[in-house]
Amino acid sequence: MKIISDNGRFDTFRTLLQMLEKMGAENADEVKMLEGHIEHLKAEITSLQHQKEEIDRDAMFHFKGPMLDALLIVCRQTRDKDEEVVMSKLKEEVEELEKDLRLQTEMNGIIVENCKIKTLFRSEGKWIRQVCVSLQCSHMVFQVDFQVSETKEGPTSEKKVIGLNVVLDSDDLQNCSGFLSRVEESLDLLLLFRTLRNFSDRCDERSRTFQHLQEKFPSVVSLPGGCRSEVMSLRHPELPGCVVFIHWAVDIFTEGTVAPKINLLTKISEKALELFPSQPVDGAAEAFQSLLRILGPEAAVECVLRSVSLSQGDNVWGEKQLKQS
């Protein structure tokens, strides 16, 4: 009986040894895996530290005066300056910059929504930076990405644009690929901003005219695509078979010239044509172009509106309806 008991104990002990060996092997694998994770995290921390140093150097390069002093304090690279004094001067400088930005916005009509600057290359005396700017001009939103090369020789430095890409979100600018290609090839940022501002002004002028005429002739004028669309339709209630369309486009030519292109189109049913056999409508478009040259866009379109409404004012139709009722 004692021999059997000793054998049982031996088997149990051997089983425990095997379990410990197995657990040790599993733990060793887990330790190796954890060590690999630790090394990976160390490499990631080192990379992030390098990125932070790059960002700090870029920020300190772009700024000076109170802004640089504040950055040095935030980055804990100096303790020689009074933090309250530095922050007070920084607040004054920021307020002055905001004032300048508002003034620039009022002058050029372009609002800077966001701006990001990233250093792509740096060597002794030379930097290349990527600038991404999100802008808005009236209802037009666009983004400009460009690269700036700066070379410093002694006390002087030279900056120039070496790459340009323009992304437009506006549907109004679908037909200006030629102009955009020229701007991206010539790297002419001034031409880009001046042309887009001019284009935006012409579109706003069209929108104001359409809205004004719709308010003045509500029973005749309709804007299927809203006041910012290119088309205005004119339809008199007493002439259901006659529709006149004003198509007012704004074209941007390759050289940056902006010009309106306004055409009159007619849609008249055969039944309506029978009512006016002696009055041909084939020359309406040519006559409208003559009005444009003499009167200008708004006055020419209003002249057509008065002809369509058969009155000197749109309210005549409403007064007639009131008398009949």
Side-chain angles (χ1 to χ4, degrees):
M1 294 295 293
K2 185 177 180 181
I3 295 174
I4 295 173
S5 177
D6 290 341
N7 289 336
R9 291 178 180 176
F10 178 76
D11 292 339
T12 302
F13 182 70
R14 184 171 60 182
T15 302
L16 288 173
L17 285 176
Q18 291 174 351
M19 291 177 62
L20 290 173
E21 290 176 356
K22 185 177 180 181
M23 291 175 62
E26 291 177 351
N27 289 336
D29 294 338
E30 187 175 354
V31 167
K32 289 181 179 179
M33 182 180 67
L34 292 174
E35 288 176 348
H37 283 313
I38 292 171
E39 294 299 324
H40 177 74
L41 289 173
K42 287 181 178 179
E44 188 174 353
I45 290 171
T46 303
S47 176
L48 291 172
Q49 287 175 340
H50 288 323
Q51 291 181 24
K52 180 181 180 300
E53 291 172 0
E54 288 288 328
I55 292 172
D56 291 344
R57 281 196 293 267
D58 286 344
M60 292 175 189
F61 178 83
H62 290 297
F63 299 112
K64 58 184 179 180
M67 185 70 75
L68 179 58
D69 293 339
L71 285 172
L72 290 173
I73 290 176
V74 171
C75 297
R76 298 179 180 178
Q77 295 188 17
T78 182
R79 295 182 179 178
D80 300 335
K81 298 181 182 296
D82 189 335
E83 183 174 349
E84 292 184 3
V85 174
V86 170
M87 292 305 176
S88 177
K89 291 182 178 180
L90 176 61
K91 182 179 179 181
E92 293 177 0
E93 183 174 349
V94 170
E95 291 175 350
E96 189 66 25
L97 289 173
E98 290 177 343
K99 182 180 177 181
D100 291 342
L101 182 59
R102 287 193 297 268
L103 179 61
Q104 289 292 329
T105 301
E106 292 175 0
M107 291 174 59
N108 56 42
I110 297 177
I111 302 173
V112 179
E113 297 287 350
N114 190 20
C115 180
K116 296 180 181 179
I117 302 176
K118 180 181 179 182
T119 299
L120 302 179
F121 172 81
R122 176 189 290 135
S123 65
E124 187 65 28
K126 185 175 181 180
W127 296 266
I128 297 178
R129 295 180 179 83
Q130 178 77 29
V131 182
C132 302
V133 189
S134 299
L135 304 161
Q136 182 174 351
C137 185
S138 185
H139 290 75
M140 183 171 56
V141 178
F142 58 100
Q143 179 175 311
V144 180
D145 300 339
F146 58 95
Q147 295 178 8
V148 178
S149 172
E150 181 177 359
T151 305
K152 189 173 183 180
E153 296 181 0
T156 62
S157 63
E158 179 185 7
K159 293 182 181 180
K160 61 180 180 179
V161 179
I162 60 174
L164 176 62
N165 181 46
V166 183
V167 181
L168 301 170
D169 295 335
S170 176
D171 295 335
D172 296 328
L173 294 163
Q174 294 177 348
N175 299 322
C176 62
S177 57
F179 165 71
L180 293 180
S181 298
R182 183 196 172 186
V183 167
E184 291 177 350
E185 291 174 2
S186 63
L187 306 175
D188 195 339
L189 284 171
L190 181 60
L191 176 63
L192 171 67
F193 294 139
R194 184 172 62 241
T195 301
L196 292 184
R197 168 64 190 275
N198 193 7
F199 174 84
S200 179
D201 288 344
R202 300 289 78 76
C203 290
D204 289 343
E205 178 186 2
R206 177 186 63 195
S207 177
R208 287 192 301 268
T209 301
F210 279 2
Q211 190 171 5
H212 166 71
L213 293 175
Q214 186 182 39
E215 292 173 355
K216 192 171 184 178
F217 301 88
S219 65
V220 176
V221 174
S222 63
L223 302 172
C227 63
R228 298 200 63 83
S229 67
E230 297 182 347
V231 179
M232 177 174 67
S233 64
L234 318 176
R235 188 195 309 264
H236 195 282
E238 289 186 332
L239 302 173
C242 303
V243 184
V244 177
F245 297 98
I246 301 295
H247 183 257
W248 187 333
V250 180
D251 291 339
I252 299 180
F253 298 95
T254 305
E255 66 276 9
T257 304
V258 179
K261 184 179 180 182
I262 310 174
N263 291 308
L264 182 143
L265 307 171
T266 58
K267 182 180 179 182
I268 303 177
S269 65
E270 294 293 334
K271 185 177 181 180
L273 287 173
E274 293 176 358
L275 299 176
F276 308 98
S278 61
Q279 298 182 12
V281 295
D282 297 339
E286 290 77 6
F288 177 70
Q289 294 300 320
S290 298
L291 285 175
L292 280 175
R293 289 190 291 270
I294 297 171
L295 303 177
E298 183 174 347
V301 175
E302 185 167 350
C303 184
V304 174
L305 273 166
R306 293 188 181 280
S307 300
V308 172
S309 63
L310 305 177
S311 67
Q312 296 299 314
D314 189 55
N315 58 350
V316 172
W317 166 251
E319 292 173 0
K320 183 178 178 181
Q321 289 294 95
L322 289 173
K323 290 179 181 179
Q324 290 179 353
S325 61

